[in-house]
Amino acid sequence: MYTPAEAVEETGFSLDTLRYYEKIGLLERVDRNAAGQRRFSEEDIGWLGTLRCLRETGMPIATMLRFAELVRAGDHTVPDRIKLLEEHDRQVQEQIANLIERQDYIHHKISYYRSLL
Amino acid sequence: MYTPAEAVEETGFSLDTLRYYEKIGLLERVDRNAAGQRRFSEEDIGWLGTLRCLRETGMPIATMLRFAELVRAGDHTVPDRIKLLEEHDRQVQEQIANLIERQDYIHHKISYYRSLL
DNA sequence: ATTCCACCTGGAGCGTGCTCCAGGTCAACC
DNA sequence: GGTTGACCTGGAGCACGCTCCAGGTGGAAT
């Protein structure tokens, strides 16, 4: 079990973000201690790792939410989860290709400026 | 000379965005025809191409604005422009590396889900 | 000539994803 | 037992980057 501060440390999300994710249903009702303070399970931390990966690769919250719902709905949604991740993977691939192309332009621009010195 | 519609076509920015960029000073006062309608020069279009590249690689508007000011300030700012672009290039490199790493995680996740079928 | 349609300006509004705040409860260490 | 500090909730606010709107002018094709 992780205290809120530990969960922040482990996941890299701010505490406000963790509460927000719980509020909107990205994170299922997190356990509480007697005083009502959150105690994140190992599983929560793992799931937050997945969320972090999706988020950092640009998946919108709404799509993450759909994914979360699929996960909650049980094993029969595995094919749908694959579809969702594959689609996302394509978008990540596009992002990478786009960045590399634009980076090339930036390199040319830098070279050009260097040639002026 | 390009009409607004042509500039939209050439640059991929919406007309509202072009007006916005002019308003905040990313684009220097664009020429007008007698009726006050914008006529974008070849140079404007080229500069918008640069802006598009910076924007798509995640440069914040505020930084683009600093770059625009350097460009306007004249040739003596070339070293500063190089510095700015090099710093941005590093950030783009980081983005790419990060995406590739996360993509790997996504691939593993997909493989895992496939193994369940 | 008329009917469109592109375009204008200034300013308000919006979608996303948090982030912050007030006002309060516990808990834990000294 | 007192103080400090982590945490709670509900809700407001914010940063960013556009996007839309009202109300109006001008130009171009039929």
Side-chain angles (χ1 to χ4, degrees), chain A residues 25-45:
Chain A
L26 264 184
L27 210 51
E28 232 164 339
R29 182 94 192 146
V30 176
D31 284 347
R32 309 294 163 126
N33 70 2
Q37 298 185 352
R38 288 173 180 78
R39 290 298 177 261
F40 295 85
S41 69
E42 204 66 62
E43 206 190 327
D44 290 331
I45 301 297

Side-chain angles (χ1 to χ4, degrees), chain B residues 41-53:
Chain B
S41 68
E42 204 66 63
E43 206 191 325
D44 289 333
I45 301 298
W47 171 241
L48 283 165
T50 299
L51 290 183
R52 186 145 196 84
C53 170

Side-chain angles (χ1 to χ4, degrees), chain A residues 29-86:
Chain A
R29 182 94 192 146
V30 176
D31 284 347
R32 309 294 163 126
N33 70 2
Q37 298 185 352
R38 288 173 180 78
R39 290 298 177 261
F40 295 85
S41 69
E42 204 66 62
E43 206 190 327
D44 290 331
I45 301 297
W47 171 241
L48 283 166
T50 299
L51 291 183
R52 186 145 196 83
C53 170
L54 299 178
R55 199 68 204 83
E56 292 252 308
T57 49
M59 184 181 284
I61 297 276
T63 309
M64 296 201 302
L65 214 39
R66 276 204 297 125
F67 185 66
E69 276 151 17
L70 288 177
V71 170
R72 261 176 239 142
D75 290 353
H76 66 283
T77 66
V78 165
D80 288 337
R81 295 183 218 170
I82 292 175
K83 257 188 234 154
L84 190 152
L85 291 185
E86 280 177 341

Side-chain angles (χ1 to χ4, degrees), chain A residues 50 86 93 103 105 114, chain B residues 50 86 93 103 105 114:
Chain A
T50 299
E86 280 177 341
Q93 195 57 54
Q103 192 184 34
Y105 179 100
R114 287 228 182 88
Chain B
T50 299
E86 279 177 342
Q93 196 55 55
Q103 191 184 33
Y105 179 100
R114 287 228 183 86

